[in-house]
Amino acid sequence: MSKWHLIIDVALCHNCNNCFIACKDEHVGNDYPGYAAAQPLHGHSWIKIEQTERGRAPMVDAAFLPTMCNQCADAPCVDAGGGAVQQREDGIVVIDPEKARGNKDIVASCPYGAIWWNEELQLPQKWIFDAHLLDRGWAEPRCAQVCPTGAITALKSGDDDMARRAGAEKLAVLSPEFNTRPRIYYRNLHRFTHHFIGGNVLTQNDGALDCLAGATVRLLRDGAPVGEAVTDAFGEFKIDGLEGGDEEYLLRLTHEDHEDLEQPVRLKQSVFLDDLQPKRR
Amino acid sequence: MRLQTLLLGVSWALNYTARRYPSFKQRLGEKEFTAQVKVKDNSVGRCYRFGGGKVTSRAGIHDSPDMTISFKTAALGVKLLTPPADHMDFINAMKNFALQMQGEDEVTQWFTDTISIMMTIRWDYGVDAGNGERRYTNITNGGPLFVYVKDGKIVRMTPIDLADDDAPSWTLTARGRTFSPPRKTTINPHGLASKSLIYSSRRLLHPLKRVDFEPNGARNPQNRGISGYEQIGWDEALDITANEIKRVKREHGHGAIMNSHGSHHTWGNIGYYLSAQIRFMNAIGHTKMALNPDSWEGWYWGGAHHYGNSMRNGAMEPYGQLQDCLDEAEMIVFWASDPESTSGSYGSFEGTPRRHWARELGIEMVHIDPYCNHTASHLGGKWIPVIPGTSPALAHALAWVWITEGLYDKDYVANRTTGFEKYRAYLMGEEDGQAKTPEWQEAETGVAAHTVRALARQWGTRKTYLAAGGKGTTFGGANRSATGAQWARAMICLMAMQGLGKPGVNFGGLQCGSPIDHEFYFPGYAEGGISGDMNGTASAIQLYQRQPHLLSMNPVTQQIPRLRIPEAILDGETSGYPLDARSIEGQFMGFRYPSPGHSRVRMMYKYGGSHFGTTMESNRLAKALQSEALEFIVNQSIWNEGEVPFADIVLPACTNFERWDIGEWGAAGGYSQHNQTMLNHRVIAIQHKCIEPLGESRSDYQIFTDILKRLGLSAYFTEGMTELDWCKAQFDASDLPQRISWREFLRKGYYVVPSEKEEHRPPAGFRWYAEGRKKDVPEPAPLPGEYGEQYLEGLQTQSGKIEFEAQSLKRFGQDPERPPVNKYIPSWEGRGTAALFAKYPLQLLTPHPRYSFHTKGDGKDSVLNDIVDHRVLIDGYHYWVARINPADAEARGIKHHDLIRLYNDRGSVICAARVTARIMAGVVHSAESSAEYDPIGEPGQSPDRGGCVNILTPKRHMTEKTTGSAPNSCLIEIEKWAGEEEAAS
């Protein structure tokens, strides 16, 4: 039996929040017996966009991470629900809006914090992959339909096929250490989890300072190369996908008309190195 | 004899319909009266007795009917009553008094409405969506939507997935790759949030009267914005309003009623402000609120002088640029351009995949903006932060590099432009001894000289598109500042130096210029819908000839600039320069208020959205609304927002989901002709009445009709047409009947206009100009009389060419802030104004919001409140977001999501701090257009926690001789806000 999955491309999400709004639109004021009771107007984010920012002017980037119930294959909430939470044959996890009433343990069971407590109804609630619509023949959940950048794709796939695809396309799940086998996969997750070293390179040209294009920047850690970039017309370079955690890197800059320049860089989080100026030969 | 048969047929049809439709039988039971229909000389007649849910009739003439319809001749009666009716025949007969109607409007309007309902009651609409749901269609500022309704309640709204039988999508081939857009419509957050706005707790559901307002006693205007409201009945509210209209005219005379309106709180050609509202205001006569070109400011007051395009308020032709850009361009420079936030206007996210394609093709991107905006952040490329208001200096330095390094199109400059030598002399410093070098600009702009040189060399050696403003072809914050006109002028001069119109050299950021069908006619909203207004709308261009309807004309010529409403009320006088698109020079014709012999305004009829969030130095407005100079304020609004709490009477209107309308996605017409080139598919939709109006709310059209009934003008206003009849009239006026039947359109809800065949696609804008050919893009502008030589040859300028020295400004000669050659004049409020800068060291940038459309969608308890980049929930209140740089935050002890007070001498606003490196140091970024005005104390004199940051922005015009807004020239200070108590101590 194939299961529903999402593949979310972090590099394509630009935080329009349409997925969040569509979830609100679908659930606020609407009861779907057997699937979900109505969501409160404010306070719940069954789909929630996390964000991070890296660097500083003039090299800043932002990344956005839509998160929601991971529809885990080994979902702790199913165990915590005592029969109130079910994993359907198509992989979608549904909290029964009647049976789960009063059971706050279900909220606590989710290591991702994706289950919300409806105080008024005394109900644990979460995103249900629009199971109620898929069961009526809808082709995809609303978050995928409203996404204008193509960042969210829904697909039905067998577990083995999905694992192969995840390997081939370098897809990742959030916090795999929780060992719950999520069915929400991410592409370009490094934009959210990893760091860059960037900078700009300048040179003296007849007494005026100019950007130096075409300089090669190599990054070494413990003597081993971990990244390489060439400066652009603005003299800028950016080496991405680096581990943070106070790692020590060595940056080596080479250019045919200039002497090599070396600089150690300690990387806690993304850095931008201003105005590197190698000496002219 | 034939007329008598037709008259008999009327009663037969009414009774037949009542037997078939219980709702119609119920309607027939609403009134008891006698109607007489006859030939004027009494030669033929029939009288009808309405009552008890049926109609009885007899031939002959009644002694004392409650209403009478008379035809001049029996032949005319036959003509008008023989189906299918031709509305042109009706209005011709009405205009010539050959068809007349007498009686109380309450009865006559009910009678004509009943006949309309009888004719349309069989019309079936919507699609069965299963599960007891019905699928309807509607349109918002943010795009079209399917609306699913169950048991009279809206369940959900979704963008439209195009069906297999909808027209195929276009494809285009560029650099060996074939591109085609996704087969669905996109939607902005403010459109997708519509359901929460319809069912908002802030809806006005009943007519209201301010508790201490008595029309025949104490009016207490000083308590506006303070005292509460009591619910009253519709009749009382309408009677008071109609009586006040009569009273102020009687007591004060011509021009005493002023109109004030928002522009964007609904979508649809019938209920829009330029349609039913103008028709109504014209019917009572009003002092008009003169709009400034607030989306186009710098282009209108500045850019147009160099290259014309006045009919677009100085914006450029948007044609063919998608193909040309993808084919040819090597670089796109986004300058004050964030289409991923502002969607160009109504472009939803249609441009997003096109910009992805450009990125895939390796087209380089540069973003010049004080904020690393969403387009920059999403697409990547080089971000160049620039100090707000200084972009013209950066532009001059680019031109200086091009000249000194020979990186400009000398042939184009020689043959397609005039006055370059004067601009060159300015740049070289031959006038003022200061060469406009990259080093010179660095002190102004904060952009390193080496970055400017690198950009100039890239640009000067690559075919480059310039996306100037959010639309790519105008708009954007940089044009709304003291230097806005300078910036727009500089953009045009730069492009002229690079050969504007040559392959790959044009304006645009892939937001406009898609290969849609440009000829298929459906009226854009600026064509005035049912307004019949030849002066105030673009109706005259096409719609008036196509849709039979009566002319409407405002008898009052007096007007007040929107930006000077407070002065007009408080000082009793003001002045302005007009938005007149006919010519480049129309803007020079200054006007004064009050006009000679006119009354000052004594009554305000406010319609639509909130103005606090969009009026510079907004505290002025609160004070003006409390003035006794305004004897009466009526506010017709959907939500309790903005100025509503300052009204004496509140008339609750419904949304466009609760009444009939019709429209086309993104179609503006008028100043934005062919605005749909922003879209990937043209979608025209009937905007179904999805649900009944909530509470006691009524459609705007109904409210206007109900007031006009009390003035004897309802038949003139409605022409016997319901809103649904008008939708049909728009349908018939368009090209739709050639492609889809009314019946199918009503059922399915929308029609997708097939894209232009490849061989018919227009060439890129300005290509004709670059190549010295006759104009060959499908743009009916400029006016024929604006051409200097042969028709269609050259631009609208005096020389017919791009003028580096603008001859129109030279002839005007009265504005030292707009010299004929564009020169850098530092902002009158900015880092260069030392004394003020010392006191208020931060610049405030107030671009359009990303999640709401102006005030539409913001506040009002909508789900948008829960988007943390829009508002932040702190201590139970949703605060507006202000973005500050980490260094500025640290210097003031401010942390992420602290409450902060933004302030200057004009007032203060409480916001939630978002600490972000995406905004350059020294600049605070907080969007304009908060819909909430929520002063914590006395209105107009206390901090606002609603988020109307325009409280802080200057009312000063861009230049003394323009009525251009300049909110982005604003200095403030911020501090951590510890709460009201501490502030008071």
Side-chain angles (χ1 to χ4, degrees):
Chain A
M1 180 81 187
S2 59
K3 321 281 190 197
W4 280 104
H5 297 80
L6 288 187
I7 299 175
I8 299 175
D9 190 336
V10 178
L12 283 179
C13 176
H14 71 1
N15 197 34
C16 74
N17 272 273
N18 272 0
C19 51
F20 165 80
I21 299 167
C23 179
K24 287 275 181 191
D25 181 68
E26 188 62 32
H27 287 285
V28 173
N30 292 330
D31 279 315
Y32 300 107
Y35 296 97
Q39 181 181 152
L41 173 61
H42 298 301
H44 280 211
S45 303
W46 297 0
I47 295 180
K48 186 178 186 184
I49 302 178
E50 305 285 356
Q51 56 181 289
T52 188
E53 235 172 64
R54 308 186 304 175
R56 62 181 175 84
M59 190 177 284
V60 177
D61 65 23
F64 304 95
L65 185 78
T67 65
M68 62 282 286
C69 165
N70 275 296
Q71 316 293 342
C72 305
D74 297 328
C77 58
V78 173
D79 298 335
V85 186
Q86 297 229 324
Q87 181 151 62
R88 301 168 14 137
E89 286 195 337
D90 60 4
I92 299 175
V93 176
V94 173
I95 303 174
D96 189 297
E98 290 304 324
K99 291 182 193 159
R101 198 174 294 272
N103 188 346
K104 218 168 180 173
D105 293 344
I106 295 173
V107 175
S109 73
C110 178
Y112 293 98
I115 303 177
W116 300 74
W117 181 246
N118 185 325
E119 188 63 38
E120 191 189 340
L121 301 178
Q122 292 290 301
L123 263 184
Q125 295 184 297
K126 66 163 193 79
W127 180 66
I128 59 167
F129 214 110
D130 293 345
H132 61 301
L133 297 176
L134 299 175
D135 289 350
R136 279 167 57 190
W138 286 50
E140 58 184 351
R142 293 195 54 191
C143 59
Q145 199 244 349
V146 299
C147 181
T149 63
I152 302 179
T153 309
L155 70 157
K156 235 178 160 182
S157 166
D159 283 345
D160 293 346
D161 284 348
M162 195 60 214
R164 266 195 296 277
R165 181 166 181 171
E169 299 180 17
K170 294 184 183 160
L171 306 179
V173 298
L174 296 181
S175 302
E177 67 275 16
F178 294 153
N179 291 316
T180 60
R181 295 167 60 208
R183 289 206 166 90
I184 311 299
Y185 284 82
Y186 293 88
R187 183 173 278 131
N188 292 314
L189 190 57
H190 72 272
R191 286 282 304 273
F192 204 84
T193 55
H194 286 63
H195 303 275
F196 70 74
I197 292 176
N200 70 327
V201 184
L202 304 178
T203 185
Q204 290 287 340
N205 256 344
D206 298 331
L209 211 51
D210 266 331
C211 302
L212 181 64
T216 302
V217 181
R218 289 191 183 83
L219 205 58
L220 306 159
R221 191 170 61 185
D222 302 328
V226 292
E228 182 174 321
V230 177
T231 59
D232 63 15
F234 295 96
E236 288 188 349
F237 66 91
K238 184 179 188 178
I239 298 171
D240 203 351
L242 303 172
E243 301 283 348
D246 215 8
E247 296 284 341
E248 179 88 24
Y249 292 88
L250 181 69
L251 185 147
R252 182 175 295 148
L253 198 150
T254 58
H255 185 270
E256 53 188 356
D257 301 333
H258 295 76
E259 290 177 15
D260 287 2
L261 185 150
E262 286 195 353
Q263 183 165 327
V265 184
R266 187 167 274 279
L267 185 66
K268 281 186 188 161
Q269 46 191 342
S270 298
V271 293
F272 179 77
L273 306 169
D274 266 326
D275 302 351
L276 300 171
Q277 286 193 47
K279 283 190 187 126
R280 273 193 179 275
R281 284 188 203 279
Chain B
M1 195 56 219
R2 194 159 160 231
L3 179 59
Q4 192 58 265
T5 309
L6 285 165
L7 293 177
L8 175 63
V10 170
S11 53
W12 182 88
L14 285 164
N15 285 322
Y16 172 78
T17 307
R19 282 198 298 277
R20 281 202 57 190
Y21 299 95
S23 65
F24 194 74
K25 184 176 173 62
Q26 196 180 351
R27 179 172 177 92
L28 284 190
E30 284 174 7
K31 286 200 188 298
E32 290 195 8
F33 68 99
T34 302
Q36 172 79 61
V37 181
K38 62 170 194 170
V39 175
K40 200 169 184 182
D41 64 5
N42 290 344
S43 56
V44 184
R46 193 162 193 95
C47 46
Y48 304 85
R49 181 70 200 161
F50 287 80
K54 62 181 196 302
V55 182
T56 53
S57 72
R58 65 173 176 81
I61 306 299
H62 195 277
D63 290 343
S64 53
D66 298 290
M67 63 167 285
T68 303
I69 291 174
S70 58
F71 307 107
K72 188 174 179 189
T73 64
L76 177 64
V78 169
K79 187 179 180 185
L80 297 184
L81 293 179
T82 306
D86 184 337
H87 195 64
M88 184 65 109
D89 292 335
F90 269 96
I91 62 172
N92 283 339
M94 280 190 268
K95 284 179 184 173
N96 295 305
F97 300 94
L99 170 65
Q100 288 185 291
M101 186 158 65
Q102 274 117 23
E104 292 289 327
D105 282 35
E106 192 58 43
V107 174
T108 57
Q109 193 59 43
W110 185 91
F111 178 82
T112 58
D113 282 351
T114 302
I115 299 292
S116 277
I117 292 167
M118 178 184 79
M119 304 295 283
T120 57
I121 199 165
R122 280 167 304 230
W123 291 352
D124 191 25
Y125 58 93
V127 173
D128 183 0
N131 198 37
E133 295 172 6
R134 204 158 177 83
R135 192 196 78 195
Y136 299 117
T137 312
N138 220 298
I139 310 182
T140 69
N141 295 309
L145 289 163
F146 280 149
V147 183
Y148 293 78
V149 175
K150 187 176 185 178
D151 302 330
K153 186 174 152 267
I154 295 172
V155 178
R156 74 178 64 82
M157 301 187 189
T158 72
I160 298 175
D161 285 325
L162 298 189
D164 291 343
D165 61 351
D166 288 327
S169 306
W170 47 260
T171 58
L172 61 79
T173 304
R175 302 186 208 205
R177 281 190 56 185
T178 299
F179 298 102
S180 192
R183 279 189 64 74
K184 60 181 181 182
T185 65
T186 52
I187 183 79
N188 286 107
H190 45 81
L192 193 57
S194 293
K195 191 182 92 176
S196 77
L197 286 156
I198 295 165
Y199 293 112
S200 157
S201 60
R202 299 279 292 279
R203 274 292 295 271
L204 293 163
L205 299 175
H206 306 282
L208 302 172
K209 184 178 81 65
R210 189 158 54 79
V211 290
D212 50 358
F213 168 79
E214 286 304 327
N216 300 313
R219 291 178 177 241
N220 294 307
Q222 74 284 357
N223 288 340
R224 291 185 186 130
I226 298 167
S227 46
Y229 287 84
E230 62 190 13
Q231 194 176 317
I232 58 172
W234 265 113
D235 279 341
E236 185 181 357
L238 295 164
D239 285 344
I240 291 173
T241 304
N243 288 340
E244 286 296 304
I245 290 170
K246 293 178 189 171
R247 184 190 65 78
V248 295
K249 285 171 138 181
R250 183 172 66 240
E251 292 185 4
H252 302 295
H254 196 65
I257 302 168
M258 81 162 292
N259 179 214
S260 172
H261 58 81
S263 297
H264 300 289
H265 74 304
T266 62
W267 190 273
N269 284 0
I270 310 303
Y272 195 56
Y273 91 91
L274 283 166
S275 183
Q277 197 242 190
I278 277 201
R279 189 177 176 87
F280 166 77
M281 293 309 306
N282 285 353
I284 63 174
H286 65 288
T287 291
K288 185 176 170 161
M289 180 184 85
L291 290 171
N292 50 299
D294 45 17
S295 293
W296 296 267
E297 301 287 16
W299 302 95
Y300 176 78
W301 304 108
H305 295 290
H306 292 280
Y307 76 159
N309 291 352
S310 73
M311 294 283 266
R312 290 187 180 275
N313 288 336
M316 27 334 247
E317 318 167 355
Y319 306 101
Q321 286 139 331
L322 175 58
Q323 179 77 55
D324 180 54
C325 182
L326 293 179
D327 262 338
E328 300 281 349
E330 295 160 285
M331 185 163 83
I332 304 174
V333 175
F334 291 86
W335 201 324
S337 180
D338 186 12
E340 294 300 337
S341 285
T342 60
S343 298
S345 60
Y346 318 111
S348 310
F349 291 108
E350 295 288 286
T352 307
R354 305 196 288 255
R355 285 183 283 276
H356 289 172
W357 300 338
R359 190 168 60 176
E360 290 163 21
L361 289 174
I363 298 175
E364 293 171 43
M365 299 189 188
V366 173
H367 309 271
I368 305 174
D369 196 313
Y371 179 54
C372 181
N373 62 47
H374 289 91
T375 307
S377 161
H378 184 60
L379 294 175
K382 170 65 181 163
W383 174 38
I384 301 177
V386 60
I387 292 170
T390 67
S391 275
L394 170 55
H396 292 316
L398 291 172
W400 183 90
V401 175
W402 289 347
I403 289 173
T404 53
E405 300 188 10
L407 298 176
Y408 68 101
D409 190 330
K410 298 183 186 71
D411 181 61
Y412 187 97
V413 166
N415 295 303
R416 309 306 298 144
T417 75
T418 63
F420 182 67
E421 273 311 303
K422 293 200 172 169
Y423 184 49
R424 197 199 65 83
Y426 167 70
L427 294 175
M428 294 297 115
E430 290 171 15
E431 274 178 38
D432 54 5
Q434 175 62 61
K436 310 305 177 293
T437 63
E439 279 72 17
W440 163 77
Q441 66 82 47
E442 184 169 328
E444 285 293 323
T445 66
V447 181
H450 55 81
T451 302
V452 173
R453 267 191 293 276
L455 176 60
R457 288 166 187 159
Q458 286 292 97
W459 193 338
T461 54
R462 278 164 181 70
K463 288 182 279 186
T464 299
Y465 260 63
L466 172 58
K471 212 169 179 173
T473 57
T474 56
F475 295 5
N479 92 69
R480 278 189 291 270
S481 75
T483 59
Q486 294 180 48
W487 174 69
R489 298 176 67 183
M491 296 301 102
I492 292 162
C493 292
L494 290 182
M495 290 308 285
M497 289 178 73
Q498 294 300 332
L500 174 63
K502 288 188 164 183
V505 181
N506 221 312
F507 281 104
L510 298 167
Q511 186 63 19
C512 299
S514 79
I516 53 152
D517 183 320
H518 295 84
E519 281 78 45
F520 184 90
Y521 180 72
F522 188 85
Y525 68 62
E527 291 183 61
I530 67 169
S531 72
D533 186 327
M534 298 295 106
N535 297 325
T537 76
S539 175
I541 297 173
Q542 295 201 61
L543 182 60
Y544 196 66
Q545 297 94 307
R546 287 171 166 260
Q547 174 187 275
H549 60 306
L550 293 172
L551 180 85
S552 83
M553 183 179 273
N554 185 10
V556 181
T557 48
Q558 173 170 275
Q559 48 184 341
I560 296 170
R562 187 176 95 89
L563 302 175
R564 289 290 173 266
I565 290 173
E567 284 68 28
I569 294 165
L570 291 168
D571 306 338
E573 59 181 14
T574 188
S575 62
Y577 289 88
L579 198 179
D580 183 343
R582 276 175 296 187
S583 65
I584 301 170
E585 291 79 6
Q587 59 179 259
F588 297 145
M589 304 291 285
F591 63 91
R592 298 199 63 81
Y593 164 87
S595 291
H598 285 63
S599 168
R600 289 189 169 84
V601 295
R602 297 298 180 195
M603 164 180 166
M604 177 186 280
Y605 200 114
K606 176 70 205 291
Y607 162 91
S610 166
H611 273 183
F612 280 112
T614 59
T615 300
M616 286 88 244
E617 224 170 313
S618 355
N619 278 335
R620 297 178 296 151
L621 189 57
K623 289 166 194 155
L625 294 175
Q626 293 178 322
S627 164
E628 63 179 12
L630 277 181
E631 296 168 2
F632 181 63
I633 301 177
V634 58
N635 196 320
Q636 180 170 322
S637 180
I638 299 171
W639 297 277
N640 185 6
E641 61 176 334
E643 298 103 297
V644 169
F646 290 79
D648 302 320
I649 293 291
V650 178
L651 305 176
C654 68
T655 68
N656 53 281
F657 294 85
E658 298 152 73
R659 56 172 175 77
W660 284 99
D661 215 316
I662 189 170
E664 178 176 358
W665 177 19
Y671 307 139
S672 296
Q673 180 78 357
H674 294 140
N675 202 43
Q676 306 95 311
T677 74
M678 287 203 278
L679 309 179
N680 293 322
H681 304 89
R682 281 184 68 182
V683 177
I684 303 166
I686 184 77
Q687 299 179 217
H688 290 120
K689 179 179 177 176
C690 303
I691 55 171
E692 288 299 316
L694 297 191
E696 289 189 277
S697 68
R698 294 180 179 177
S699 73
D700 289 311
Y701 183 82
Q702 185 65 49
I703 295 170
F704 294 139
T705 305
D706 290 340
I707 292 170
L708 293 174
K709 278 181 197 169
R710 288 157 170 80
L711 302 170
L713 281 164
S714 67
Y716 165 70
F717 179 74
T718 66
E719 299 176 21
M721 306 262 277
T722 62
E723 289 156 289
L724 183 54
D725 293 330
W726 282 117
C727 292
K728 176 72 163 50
Q730 288 265 302
F731 176 89
D732 288 337
S734 76
D735 286 339
L736 282 170
Q738 302 164 25
R739 305 276 182 88
I740 185 170
S741 70
W742 173 246
R743 187 190 167 95
E744 174 62 6
F745 186 62
L746 268 185
R747 186 194 71 80
K748 184 178 178 183
Y750 69 100
Y751 174 72
V752 178
V753 182
S755 62
E756 195 61 273
K757 286 180 188 155
E758 206 146 353
E759 60 270 31
H760 292 151
R761 292 177 188 172
F766 298 111
R767 182 67 45 82
W768 61 276
Y769 178 72
E771 296 179 356
R773 285 183 281 109
K774 284 195 177 186
K775 186 165 183 168
D776 59 3
V777 291
E779 178 183 74
L783 290 171
E786 285 288 272
Y787 286 98
E789 306 285 340
Q790 288 284 308
Y791 181 54
L792 297 180
E793 285 182 7
L795 299 172
Q796 198 183 354
T797 53
Q798 185 176 340
S799 64
K801 294 182 177 177
I802 300 176
E803 297 180 348
F804 283 96
E805 183 188 37
Q807 296 305 304
S808 47
L809 286 173
K810 196 172 178 180
R811 267 181 271 117
F812 183 50
Q814 296 174 28
D815 193 349
E817 295 170 283
R818 283 183 297 165
V821 172
N822 192 30
K823 293 173 184 171
Y824 182 62
I825 302 171
S827 173
W828 39 249
E829 182 165 332
R831 296 194 189 186
T833 49
L836 198 64
F837 184 56
K839 195 172 171 191
Y840 299 117
L842 297 171
Q843 288 182 286
L844 177 63
L845 201 65
T846 52
H848 284 334
R850 189 181 196 210
Y851 299 98
S852 49
F853 191 88
H854 300 284
T855 61
K856 172 76 200 299
D858 173 51
K860 300 184 269 282
D861 204 19
S862 91
V863 296
L864 299 183
N865 279 358
D866 286 32
I867 295 174
V868 291
D869 288 270
H870 185 68
R871 285 183 179 271
V872 180
L873 183 66
I874 298 172
D875 297 335
Y877 193 84
H878 288 101
Y879 287 90
W880 195 247
V881 170
R883 294 167 181 81
I884 56 174
N885 181 275
D888 295 324
E890 195 182 348
R892 292 163 180 81
I894 293 166
K895 291 192 289 298
H896 190 59
H897 285 180
D898 274 350
L899 287 181
I900 53 174
R901 185 171 80 100
L902 287 63
Y903 65 97
N904 59 19
D905 291 340
R906 301 180 187 109
S908 56
V909 184
I910 315 302
C911 292
R914 168 168 283 276
V915 179
T916 168
R918 291 172 63 182
I919 185 70
M920 66 187 290
V923 182
V924 176
H925 174 294
S926 187
E928 52 86 51
S929 282
S930 159
E932 303 286 350
Y933 174 61
D934 191 7
I936 61 175
E938 194 77 0
Q941 299 171 55
S942 56
D944 167 42
R945 65 171 186 167
C948 290
V949 290
N950 263 323
I951 284 173
L952 309 170
T953 60
K955 68 177 182 183
R956 182 167 168 174
H957 290 151
M958 183 179 290
T959 77
E960 201 186 320
K961 302 285 183 180
T962 63
T963 300
S965 59
N968 286 308
S969 298
C970 178
L971 291 172
I972 62 166
E973 178 56 290
I974 59 175
E975 65 180 13
K976 207 166 153 172
W977 170 248
E980 211 173 327
E981 296 77 15
E982 187 168 312
S985 62

